[in-house]
Amino acid sequence: MVNQEVPAGVGISAREAEVLAALGEHLTNAEIGVRLFISVRTVESHVSSLLRKFRVADRRALAVVAATMQPVPGTRPVRAASVVVLPSRLTPFVGRVAERAALTEALGRHRLVTAVGPGGVGKTRLALSVAGELTDRFADGVWYVDLVPVTDASMIAPAIAGVLGIGESHGHSVTDHVLGRLAERETLLVLDNCEHVLDGVAVLLERLLGGCPRLRVLATSRARLLVPFEWVFVVPGLSVEADDGGVGDAVELFVGRAAAGGSPPMSEDTKRIAAVCRGLDGMALAIELAAARFPSLGLDGLEAGLADRLRLLTGGSRIDDRHRSLRSTLDWSYALLAEPAQAVLRRVSVFAGPFAAAAAATVAGWLPVPAGAVPTILAGLAEQSLLVAIVVPGGTRYRVLETIRQYGVDRLEEAGESVEAFSHHLRWCLEESAALVSRAPVDAWRAAFDQVADELRGALAWAEGTVRYRPEAYRLAIGLAELSFTRGMPGESQRRYEQAAELAADDLAAADALRSAAGAAESRHVGTEALRLRRGAADAALRAGDRAGAAGDLARNAELINRGPGLMATAPAVGEVAALIAEGWALAGSDLAAQARLLTAEAFNGDIADPATVELIECALTLSRRIGDPLIENAALDQLTAVQLARGEVRAAAASALRRTELLVSMPVTAVAGLEFFDSFGMAADSAVAAGDLLAARRLAECLRDLPFHAEEGHLATVRLLVVTALAGDWDETITLAERFREGWERAGRPRAGNLSGGAYAVATVHGLRGDDHGRAAWLDIVGALTTPGRPVSEIHSGKFFDALLLLHRGQVEEATQVLDMPPEQLTYWYAEWRPWYAALWAEAAVMSGHEDVAARLQRARVAADGNPIAIAVVDRAAALHTGDRDGLSAAAAALHHAGCRYQWARTLVLIGGEQRIRGESVLARMGATPTVWPPQ
């Protein structure tokens, strides 16, 4: 049961109260970070603190606390609030009371409402105003997505995912992840500026609305989406006169904007202003542009200038008239600009998003624009409301409103400058891409990439469709692929590498791009995709006459099938690996790299206990070192580490695994090397655990966590840390990390991945040791869902170890003995790194149960635990218990304390008895553990 009040003496900070309220709404850590403008790791720290303060097991319990607790006098009440992700208003919103009410009513009755109207009528401002008023009606938030930077339909879902805080995950499409996130949530999604991707929006919304019964969508577009479930709301121009005969919204807007410019109109000019607004058909943008000119031209100048333009309007529908009135106003505003300013305005229309003055100078600063004049011109355009100036930490950036951007594109075409302007933009993007590729990927780098990512995508889309610039398109696709991978978006990286392969000038370049695409797929843990792409690389290499390169690709596929069964969606066909190896040898010739790859593939295809396997590994290592290929050497060392673990040579295995990480020190983290990076650090962490070096295991697990392509993959980033923190006794951290693991795994579509089950089992055991059997059962369900098909849970020896650990803690010795039914020396294949830990508990259970063969078991356990000081200390503890050697117990406690194994150290103190028992029980209580049962039942 959860207390109805905050426990006495427990205080929470204002920030913790905000985090707790968000947990009560069942928000993810990413969503909490978005709401509170803090990092995910900071959220994790607050969650850990709240778990400790409220003495509950997980965030679900905290959600109950948030929902049921009553505020204690003197503390800040915990209140729920919806997530609101809407852009801030740069200027006040004026009027539209009737339209806001009507649109609000429409959203209450219909799940998809499209606000339709010409550019500049005020659709976006109206939609944002209504969305802001509806935040209390949507428990799971209001989210705004601007589709202006989206250049093709395939990027609509990623744009939504980015706003929702959803990163890429393996095995499922971004659309699936968005669908999963919104499926059960009461959310309003605002999709702004849909007109250029109408078909893509329609298809996506049909899926989202069909799969998310509590989702509502407010879209803005110049044209309707043309789907059966759409309710169209036509946005009218601003009223010139109110229903009661007073000043209308259009006049109020003009007066307000003119006053903001330093020249408030006189009250006697109201009728003349109304006439100007009426002539502009109440178009909000046109009125703002006219008002921006009021301080310099006055009403006389406005009336004269606009009259010349508006006199040309004849016939057509009302909507057509409004289109023409806006175009006429833009033409007039454009004509008032000096020629250099006109050139800059039309040229900066090639930017997809906000840009800096330096970027504009590169893209737009050619004749007739004088050298060095662009910054001043931009400031002037902002003063005339033709650009929006945005002050950000890095300086001022400028944004072109979409309507004006479209106008600029038209003017660019009329001036015959389109190709030149877009090519300038393309060259600037290539320079930005190259600069980012050469920079270290720190926090500032990520922000810099995010600022230009849409520009790179837009330039690539233009260049891809222009035959003359296909070579530049290829270079930009490669650059964007590299940058996406470094940014933690391996899915986009894979797509861009595949795009580069299609743009490549020859088959050799295509093969290289496909190899990188395969590496990105491996980093996403999508092995089937990697096999397809690498087969494509082999085919391209053969077309180019590169037989050795093709042989290497085939060898990599053969290797991956055996090396990464947990990455495969389906089991390989019988004989597939042997066929790939045979095909590779037929092509390899005398090429040493191909031979080394094939020898490595054969080693992975051999029996781990067969001496011939070691011979193959040694040959592969010799060749890889001769040719200086660290990636091939790394792969061969992976199989050597597995052989050493199977033999019980844990120190040698740890050394081999550490050597793998050393080989990567000077290498950049690229898609081609992605598999070696995550496998090297993962295997090194596992080997350090096998050797009982928890400090080294934590360091290596943190290196795995910090890989850029794991940034959004919580389950992949945390799995080794779950094990290390559980063994070390840092259980608060285990529970906090567990939520990130579960969130990432569920977001990825709950993939089967047996190599992740050890981390989940560790979490289940921590819950059990804390007396939370419900939490343990939930995590054991996750273990079952993770299990690789064809490999039952019973074969996961880490699970046997963790189950026995809990049973011994609870004094259930006979049950522990039954779980530990396999002699430790038989643990030689999967999960052999757990043999020392298993052997230690096997010995302890034998002693506590009074097994008839205790002495022999202790000796066998000591052999199996050799090389692991923690396991040896537990065996020594068991031997001391058997003989009643209190000094031996004290020595074991000292060894465990020195090794950083907090739980086993505290348990040993309990076993010693007396004052030491009291001390040990106190340590266990601080860890949140239930009292260990001693003597056993």
Side-chain angles (χ1 to χ4, degrees), residues 477-493:
I478 290 291
L480 184 53
E482 294 178 5
L483 294 170
S484 299
F485 188 82
T486 304
R487 183 61 178 87
M489 299 185 292
E492 179 169 1
S493 177

Side-chain angles (χ1 to χ4, degrees), residues 57 104 127 266 303 321 341 375 510 682 686 833 863:
T104 299
M266 305 294 290
E303 290 169 334
D321 284 348
D686 290 344
E833 66 265 25
V863 172

Side-chain angles (χ1 to χ4, degrees), residues 36 49 60 63 72 99 167 190 194 213 229 267 295 305 309 318 355 401 409 499 541 608 775 851 856 860 882:
L36 302 181
S49 175
R60 287 177 296 179
V72 174
E99 292 94 329
V190 182
C194 299
F229 43 85
S267 58
R309 299 287 177 181
R318 182 65 177 164
F355 53 88
L401 295 176
V409 170
Q499 188 176 12
I608 205 167
H851 196 281
R860 291 162 66 188
H882 180 58

Side-chain angles (χ1 to χ4, degrees), residues 798-819:
S798 60
K800 287 177 175 286
F801 162 78
F802 282 122
D803 284 344
L805 181 71
L806 176 59
L807 290 168
L808 290 171
H809 177 83
R810 293 177 173 180
Q812 297 172 259
V813 174
E814 293 300 329
E815 292 87 340
T817 303
Q818 292 171 11
V819 167

Side-chain angles (χ1 to χ4, degrees), residues 569-592:
T570 57
V574 176
E576 181 178 354
V577 172
L580 286 167
I581 291 173
E583 187 180 356
W585 278 117
L587 297 170
S590 60
D591 188 88
L592 296 183

Side-chain angles (χ1 to χ4, degrees), residues 649-719:
E649 301 167 358
V650 293
R651 290 179 181 172
S656 295
L658 190 60
R659 171 61 182 159
R660 294 182 64 196
T661 66
E662 292 168 351
L663 287 170
L664 301 175
V665 168
S666 60
M667 293 187 64
V669 183
T670 63
V672 169
L675 171 63
E676 300 307 334
F677 270 93
F678 76 73
D679 190 68
S680 293
F681 286 115
M683 194 65 165
D686 290 344
S687 298
V689 167
D693 189 348
L694 296 183
L695 286 176
R698 173 182 277 277
R699 176 179 58 81
L700 292 161
E702 288 173 346
C703 289
L704 180 70
R705 177 200 63 195
D706 295 337
L707 289 174
F709 51 88
H710 281 173
E712 304 296 339
E713 305 277 4
H715 53 311
L716 304 181
T718 61
V719 62

Side-chain angles (χ1 to χ4, degrees), residues 134 164 183 243 250 375 387 404 423 457 520-521 559 576 611 684 693 701 843 912 926:
L134 292 176
L164 294 175
D243 291 340
L387 296 179
I404 296 176
S423 64
R457 294 172 184 132
E559 172 195 313
E576 181 178 354
D693 189 348
I912 292 172
R926 290 197 297 273

